[in-house]
Amino acid sequence: MREKFAQSRSGFEVAVFCTTFSTTIQNIKFLNMSVSDFLKELPSNLVWFNSHHARRFDFPISLIFFTPKHILPNCVIDDFLEGKECRGKIGICISTKNGYQDREEEEVERKYFEFLIMKLKMDFPVAFAKNDFSFEKIRPKSFPSIFIIDERGEIKERAEGYLEIYNLLPRKRSEFLSDEFFENGQAENDEFDIDNIRRERTKNIPSQEKLDFVLPSKMGTSNPKKILAISDVGKNNIVLLNRWFEIVDIIGNENYNSVEGMKIKYVDGLRFSKDGRKLFICDFGDSTVKIVDIKKRKVLGVIDVPFPTAVDIYGKSEDELYVSSFSGKIFRVSLKDMKKEVLKLDSDGFESGYSAFERDSLPSDILIKDNKIFFTDIGSSSVKVFELSRGVVRTVAGGLKEGHKDGPVEKASFNFPCSIDSYKDAFFISDVLNSSIRILFENRVSTFFVKNFKFIFPECVRIFLGSIIVSDNPSRKVISVHALSLEGEEITPSL
């Protein structure tokens, strides 16, 4: 076998196996085979990352199948494998595309995959495979999937899809909601003042926390209190900034480690309460929504939701939450009694007659507006709306075919729409694999251009005090775009 090694820009070792194999996992001779040899026997021309880790373990091993859409952070994989006899992990990321329109489109997806393994902190061999990649004996029915196989090639345990993985995770937490959640902050002697909080909190911020972002991800805004929250999955923390982008506080394990249930694993959604005092944190890493009192630095509640991606608040008393989940569902949570209901998102029949890659709903962000829930669905690359009064879901734009096409909503296309926000009647959507921000206005979709900045993979867009804020993961930057000049300025947290 001929191998070629190169160094990727992100610092991972890449091994490209140039020989095509007809061998399948069914007839590989596992006994006395090292994991390194096993990797070489896998079919197709796979592009490998972190292949040097294969020398560190032997069978039994876990095979993790995922896609650029159906992600699984390493912290979740470790939780799943806890207590199981498993000596190592091998990941295979399978493209969801049936074919590429051109070489540039293929290169974009591979670059995104390279970025993903860094973002998901996968410290084990991971390969990128085309859509037609398959095993004879191990054929995932849905994604992501985890298989544990022994030295004979026998499957010891398997979990296919988000719900199966969630149900087999160890349950180490319990839901709760403190009575303080319903208290009115104004009844206290001291008011909720951001400037006072900033002066108090920044005294204890370590000097290293003043550095730039590592991997800025999801964001939340409170326009009444003029607070911007930015999660950094590279540091596992959340930075709170004021209107001048000065650090107000840093929510991280070192700040809240004395409070049970506050450990942050993988933040995938943020939302402030209307008064700006409470922050709702969707922790994809341990399948919870955490509610934090910003002033008291206290966890007021923990809600169990499988792989939550976004949350929004509904009702005048703010006692009803809507949480999107990569289980393909949006949950309605009543905070009065902690009861959950599931909104039916498959009323158009998308679940039947399709493969594991097609039409599976993966709601990544939600926005409640005018008694409707607007949400981005990366599963179908579309923007959809759930009408609360009628209980029906419909596609607003996209969903026909992945691509980058502006124009009327019925002809427009997206490629991995990840987040959504609005200003008056205009909706702003981060279109990750098109490296752009899209605007949905008056039944038309257009592309928003910034004069002095080119996005790589813009994960989140938010409107904050008249500016458009965009987190761009690979560039490690958060950009504030001025609406009038259309020029971007990098946000650098400062004291």
Side-chain angles (χ1 to χ4, degrees):
M1 170 179 288
R2 183 164 55 92
E3 297 180 2
K4 179 175 66 176
F5 292 90
Q7 195 73 18
S8 72
R9 288 185 300 172
S10 60
F12 293 104
E13 184 182 18
V14 183
V16 183
F17 295 99
C18 302
T19 305
T20 302
F21 290 95
S22 58
T23 310
T24 67
I25 203 167
Q26 192 169 18
N27 52 33
I28 292 177
K29 296 179 180 179
F30 281 79
L31 290 177
N32 300 320
M33 176 185 286
S34 69
V35 174
S36 299
D37 291 335
F38 169 75
L39 295 182
K40 296 175 184 179
E41 293 292 338
L42 292 178
S44 300
N45 295 328
L46 302 181
V47 180
W48 285 94
F49 291 75
N50 297 346
S51 58
H52 56 283
H53 285 292
R55 306 183 187 100
R56 303 178 184 177
F57 55 83
D58 207 336
F59 293 99
I61 61 171
S62 61
L63 288 178
I64 299 100
F65 294 90
F66 63 105
T67 80
K69 295 180 178 180
H70 306 80
I71 64 168
L72 204 61
N74 193 30
C75 59
V76 177
I77 300 170
D78 285 343
D79 283 348
F80 179 87
L81 296 176
E82 184 179 339
K84 297 178 172 63
E85 186 183 358
C86 183
R87 298 179 183 175
K89 298 171 285 188
I90 295 174
I92 298 177
C93 179
I94 302 178
S95 171
T96 58
K97 293 181 178 295
N98 291 317
Y100 299 100
Q101 295 180 1
D102 50 43
R103 189 173 182 84
E104 182 179 354
E105 185 182 26
E106 181 179 5
E107 184 64 21
V108 167
E109 188 175 41
R110 289 198 179 191
K111 284 182 178 179
Y112 185 68
F113 158 71
E114 179 182 345
F115 162 71
L116 262 188
I117 62 174
M118 177 175 64
K119 180 182 175 183
L120 301 175
K121 300 181 180 179
M122 291 184 164
D123 56 352
F124 50 87
V126 187
F128 181 79
K130 293 185 178 181
N131 180 276
D132 57 0
F133 176 88
S134 65
F135 290 125
E136 290 296 323
K137 193 170 184 179
I138 300 180
R139 189 183 298 273
K141 297 177 182 177
S142 57
F143 297 91
S145 293
I146 303 176
F147 294 81
I148 300 178
I149 60 174
D150 61 20
E151 65 277 2
R152 297 180 180 274
E154 299 295 328
I155 300 173
K156 297 180 63 179
E157 189 171 347
R158 67 199 300 164
E160 297 172 272
Y162 281 109
L163 279 179
E164 280 194 20
I165 293 173
Y166 170 78
N167 289 329
L168 290 174
L169 288 172
R171 305 258 72 84
K172 293 183 178 179
R173 58 194 172 274
S174 58
E175 292 185 323
F176 75 93
L177 187 63
S178 169
D179 292 337
E180 295 177 70
F181 175 84
F182 297 100
E183 291 179 0
N184 187 342
Q186 299 301 322
E188 300 181 4
N189 294 327
D190 51 342
E191 295 182 356
F192 176 43
D193 186 276
I194 288 299
D195 291 331
N196 289 337
I197 291 175
R198 178 177 175 271
R199 282 190 289 269
E200 176 188 345
R201 303 290 163 77
T202 53
K203 295 177 184 178
N204 301 319
I205 294 178
S207 58
Q208 63 266 27
E209 296 290 2
K210 303 172 190 176
L211 301 177
D212 295 339
F213 296 105
V214 175
L215 288 174
S217 184
K218 298 302 175 65
M219 300 183 291
T221 61
S222 171
N223 284 303
K225 285 296 180 181
K226 302 177 177 58
I227 315 173
L228 172 65
I230 305 172
S231 66
D232 190 332
V233 295
K235 295 181 179 179
N236 272 358
N237 65 21
I238 301 166
V239 180
L240 303 184
L241 306 177
N242 63 15
R243 64 184 305 174
W244 297 285
F245 306 128
E246 298 170 325
I247 297 174
V248 174
D249 200 358
I250 298 178
I251 301 176
N253 297 342
E254 72 280 2
N255 299 92
Y256 287 84
N257 57 11
S258 61
V259 181
E260 184 180 357
M262 192 51 228
K263 185 176 181 181
I264 294 173
K265 287 195 170 184
Y266 190 91
V267 175
D268 206 30
L270 297 169
R271 183 75 63 179
F272 280 99
S273 58
K274 292 179 181 178
D275 63 3
R277 180 171 181 135
K278 294 181 281 288
L279 180 62
F280 296 78
I281 303 169
C282 291
D283 196 335
F284 192 96
D286 69 356
S287 291
T288 61
V289 177
K290 301 175 174 72
I291 307 171
V292 177
D293 186 306
I294 299 300
K295 176 177 171 51
K296 294 182 178 180
R297 262 194 179 180
K298 185 175 182 179
V299 179
L300 301 181
V302 175
I303 303 168
D304 201 1
V305 176
F307 301 110
T309 56
V311 59
D312 207 348
I313 309 159
Y314 187 68
K316 292 182 179 180
S317 57
E318 297 187 308
D319 57 2
E320 193 169 285
L321 296 183
Y322 286 86
V323 185
S324 58
S325 161
F326 261 17
S327 63
K329 308 176 189 302
I330 293 178
F331 293 85
R332 178 193 287 119
V333 183
S334 171
L335 296 179
K336 292 180 179 178
D337 52 18
M338 298 293 279
K339 288 185 178 179
K340 302 184 186 76
E341 294 180 86
V342 177
L343 306 187
K344 295 181 179 180
L345 302 181
D346 57 347
S347 57
D348 48 9
F350 279 173
E351 286 192 351
S352 59
Y354 293 93
S355 74
F357 293 120
E358 299 173 312
R359 298 299 190 186
D360 49 337
S361 186
L362 291 171
S364 55
D365 197 14
I366 61 176
L367 173 69
I368 299 178
K369 184 181 178 71
D370 301 327
N371 206 35
K372 300 173 183 177
I373 302 176
F374 294 86
F375 64 98
T376 49
D377 184 355
I378 64 174
S380 59
S381 281
S382 64
V383 177
K384 296 181 179 181
V385 61
F386 185 91
E387 299 184 25
L388 291 168
S389 58
R390 298 173 56 203
V392 296
V393 63
R394 60 183 175 85
T395 299
V396 177
L400 299 175
K401 185 179 180 181
E402 292 177 341
H404 190 168
K405 186 175 182 181
D406 291 335
V409 291
E410 60 271 15
K411 295 182 179 181
S413 60
F414 301 91
N415 194 356
F416 209 113
C418 191
S419 69
I420 184 169
D421 205 355
S422 70
Y423 178 74
K424 295 185 177 180
D425 294 330
F427 294 87
F428 294 78
I429 299 123
S430 63
D431 197 359
V432 176
L433 293 188
N434 282 326
S435 303
S436 62
I437 302 300
R438 316 289 293 282
I439 300 177
L440 173 59
F441 180 64
E442 293 186 344
N443 294 319
R444 293 186 66 86
V445 176
S446 58
T447 300
F448 180 79
F449 291 98
V450 180
K451 290 181 180 179
N452 59 337
F453 190 83
K454 185 177 181 180
F455 299 113
I456 303 176
F457 298 129
E459 183 167 348
C460 189
V461 59
R462 291 291 183 258
I463 309 302
F464 181 59
L465 302 177
S467 294
I468 302 161
I469 311 295
V470 182
S471 63
D472 192 45
N473 276 163
S475 69
R476 303 186 178 190
K477 295 179 180 179
V478 179
I479 303 299
S480 174
V481 183
H482 303 284
L484 294 179
S485 67
L486 297 183
E487 292 185 350
E489 179 181 353
E490 182 181 351
I491 295 176
T492 302
S494 65
L495 293 176

